[in-house]
Amino acid sequence: MIRFENRTFGDLIVLDHIPEDDITANTIKTLELYKWLIKHGSKYEFVTKLDTDVWINAPAFWEKYLVPRLSNQTGHLTAAVNRTVIGQLYFSDSGYNTFAHGSMYTITWDMVQLLVSLQERFNVLTGEDAAVGILMHKGSQTANFVNFRGDEKFDYDDSDSREHDFAWARAGTHPHAISHAVYGSNVIAVHKLKDKRLWRKVANCFSQGGINPMPPLQRPERRLSLRTRWNDWMHSIGLSRPYVSMMETIPKALLTYDIDHWVCDNIWNLGASQEGFNTYVADANVV
């Protein structure tokens, strides 16, 4: 199937110098791809890593996140930003490390070069997304981080959908939570779609131009699962936080304010502010 696909478009890169197994795929494969690109003289303004169980709204990602960071001054499109990561900032308490969640993130070409050089120095063997944060720490490097909101990138939760045959979210959804159904017009990437049935449900929310308008609720929603009703109740009385955003899982101790911008984990420059961000970090450390 892979050979047939490549005969059709000729756009696949096969890393036949590394083992084909889950350990390799989940550790060094992405960094090996970056090495391959540099070794073979390829250069891209932005490089995106994307899991196979992610639906991406490519037109929206292009217009909202890439076009504003491209320049045409030289007659062809080039990146207008340096050392930039576009993704969803994720905290791993196992290693007290922050990095772009591995389901989807995009980096500028100079980040590709930086990560390859750091990997050659330190040879980190761990989860491919966590490796980025570890390498940045080991090399005492910093980069700009552009953070997706929860309604833009999220894990798909089918129990949050309004109907069995619709991926659109119920009226009581929490669109900035880590997991929910499809909601609104800002969707960029939907994760955890290994089930083909769920993939098709989500795909039906989109057309060639991007996401379709979210239909209004015109009939009673299906009965919610016991887990969802329990989470709603616990959320309503404030006894648990089942609907936190991914940003809210990052310890505030890792966030500092340096003159005119927020910094996370001493390696990620988050800029002056982001929508919904300042409220969360209002009582974080200020330096």
Side-chain angles (χ1 to χ4, degrees), residues 172-245:
T173 190
H174 299 267
H176 290 281
I178 295 172
S179 302
H180 56 85
V182 180
Y183 181 86
S185 59
N186 296 319
V187 180
I188 300 292
V190 187
H191 182 222
K192 290 197 173 180
L193 298 176
K194 288 184 172 63
D195 186 312
K196 292 182 179 179
R197 179 184 64 87
L198 298 184
W199 178 275
R200 287 191 291 267
K201 283 181 65 171
V202 169
N204 285 335
C205 298
F206 296 83
S207 58
Q208 186 175 359
I211 191 166
N212 298 323
M214 186 170 67
L217 289 170
Q218 297 180 336
R219 51 183 170 176
E221 297 177 321
R222 63 170 170 164
R223 181 172 174 78
L224 299 175
S225 68
L226 179 60
R227 179 178 68 89
T228 302
R229 283 181 283 145
W230 172 260
N231 286 339
D232 283 354
W233 181 73
M234 294 292 283
H235 176 78
S236 68
I237 62 176
L239 290 181
S240 73
R241 304 171 69 218
Y243 299 121
V244 296
S245 67

Side-chain angles (χ1 to χ4, degrees), residues 62-115:
W62 167 257
E63 291 294 337
K64 184 170 183 178
Y65 282 95
L66 296 188
V67 169
R69 295 173 175 86
L70 287 168
S71 170
N72 197 26
Q73 293 181 352
T74 61
H76 61 277
L77 292 176
T78 57
V81 293
N82 299 315
R83 285 211 182 182
T84 298
V85 179
I86 304 171
Q88 195 170 32
L89 198 59
Y90 179 80
F91 171 71
S92 171
D93 54 6
S94 61
Y96 212 67
N97 185 30
T98 58
F99 44 87
H101 191 272
S103 54
M104 177 192 173
Y105 58 88
T106 299
I107 60 177
T108 49
W109 183 252
D110 55 357
M111 281 296 296
V112 171
Q113 296 172 311
L114 174 63
L115 292 174

